[in-house]
Amino acid sequence: MAEALLFASSEPLSLEELTLRLPDGIDVLGVLEDLQKVYASRGVNLVRLAGKWCFRTADDLAYLMHRNVEEQRKLSRAALETLAIIAYHQPVTRAEIEEIRGVSTSKGTLDVLLETTWIRMRGRRRTPGRPVTYGTTDQFLIHFGLESVKDLPGLEELKGAGLLDSAVPASFLVPTPSDEDALTEDEDPLEDGSLFDEPADETARN
């Protein structure tokens, strides 16, 4: 039954969703772990992404799907840099993103990332102007095959992949990312009717 539900679902299913659909008294996690072992050596694997379960093509066979996958719109370098900053530094404001990048960030870049559903507006920073704070979503984790943002590569992995110069300063640190849903102490909830509005003073500044 769990296997059928997972195959039929167009989206990953959480343990809670599966528990609600299966008979009472079932050890759902045990069932999923058994299925995971069964499919470990097959063409599709049962994986957990963003805390939810789904079937995915085995990594070593992904090349077979190349012609069947609709090519995603390629993000600009600015959008990729902005996405990376949000993933590692969330919750983060537009001004903070600009400070880290060293260049201004257009609202259009953030709009593109919001359209992908990989980022979301979390709240407003308790600072003058009350700027919007941004964070990643479950769709970000699912798209990039992550269980949580803590699985993002660290300093040594980034060096090994050639994404960082091996001679970076000893004081350079890659932050430990966190995407907790709860607002931090310096965040306020977004007000109704203002979800897509940047504070006037911050927009004017840029």
Side-chain angles (χ1 to χ4, degrees):
M1 292 171 69
E3 183 181 31
L5 287 168
L6 289 164
F7 264 119
S9 177
S10 60
E11 299 291 337
L13 297 175
S14 67
L15 186 63
E16 292 75 15
E17 289 171 319
L18 287 164
T19 300
L20 287 173
R21 301 187 194 187
L22 293 173
D24 293 340
I26 297 295
D27 177 10
V28 180
L29 181 58
V31 169
L32 292 169
E33 289 174 344
D34 287 343
L35 274 176
Q36 196 171 42
K37 293 175 183 176
V38 169
Y39 280 90
S41 60
R42 296 188 177 181
V44 292
N45 301 149
L46 180 60
V47 298
R48 187 167 65 177
L49 303 174
K52 298 182 179 182
W53 296 80
C54 58
F55 283 108
R56 286 287 186 268
T57 302
D59 290 341
D60 60 338
L61 298 178
Y63 70 94
L64 294 173
M65 303 296 109
H66 180 70
R67 292 184 179 179
N68 298 330
V69 176
E70 181 179 350
E71 185 175 354
Q72 297 274 348
R73 179 173 56 176
K74 290 185 178 180
L75 295 179
S76 66
R77 178 174 177 176
L80 287 172
E81 290 177 355
T82 300
L83 179 62
I85 290 169
I86 292 172
Y88 279 97
H89 293 268
Q90 59 186 304
V92 63
T93 67
R94 179 176 164 188
E96 291 164 346
I97 292 169
E98 292 176 345
E99 182 178 357
I100 294 169
R101 289 189 67 218
V103 295
S104 63
T105 299
S106 72
K107 190 171 183 299
T109 298
L110 290 168
D111 288 341
V112 167
L113 292 175
L114 287 167
E115 289 172 9
T116 65
T117 70
W118 293 346
I119 69 168
R120 63 187 176 93
M121 288 183 267
R122 291 173 45 96
R124 290 194 182 277
R125 183 79 77 214
R126 293 179 182 174
T127 56
R130 293 170 49 75
V132 170
T133 56
Y134 296 91
T136 54
T137 65
D138 284 352
Q139 290 304 315
F140 168 81
L141 298 176
I142 291 168
H143 181 85
F144 289 99
L146 303 171
E147 166 62 13
S148 78
V149 290
K150 292 182 175 62
D151 294 328
L152 286 168
L155 179 60
E156 294 306 318
E157 291 170 296
L158 291 170
K159 285 182 181 179
L163 299 175
L164 280 180
D165 191 323
S166 59
V168 294
S171 59
F172 181 83
L173 294 175
V174 173
T176 302
S178 173
D179 59 354
E180 294 291 335
D181 286 333
L183 297 177
T184 59
E185 292 182 358
D186 62 349
E187 287 181 289
D188 284 326
L190 289 166
E191 304 88 351
D192 292 340
S194 66
L195 295 180
F196 298 97
D197 295 332
E198 286 279 7
D201 59 343
E202 185 175 75
T203 303
R205 180 179 61 77
N206 294 304

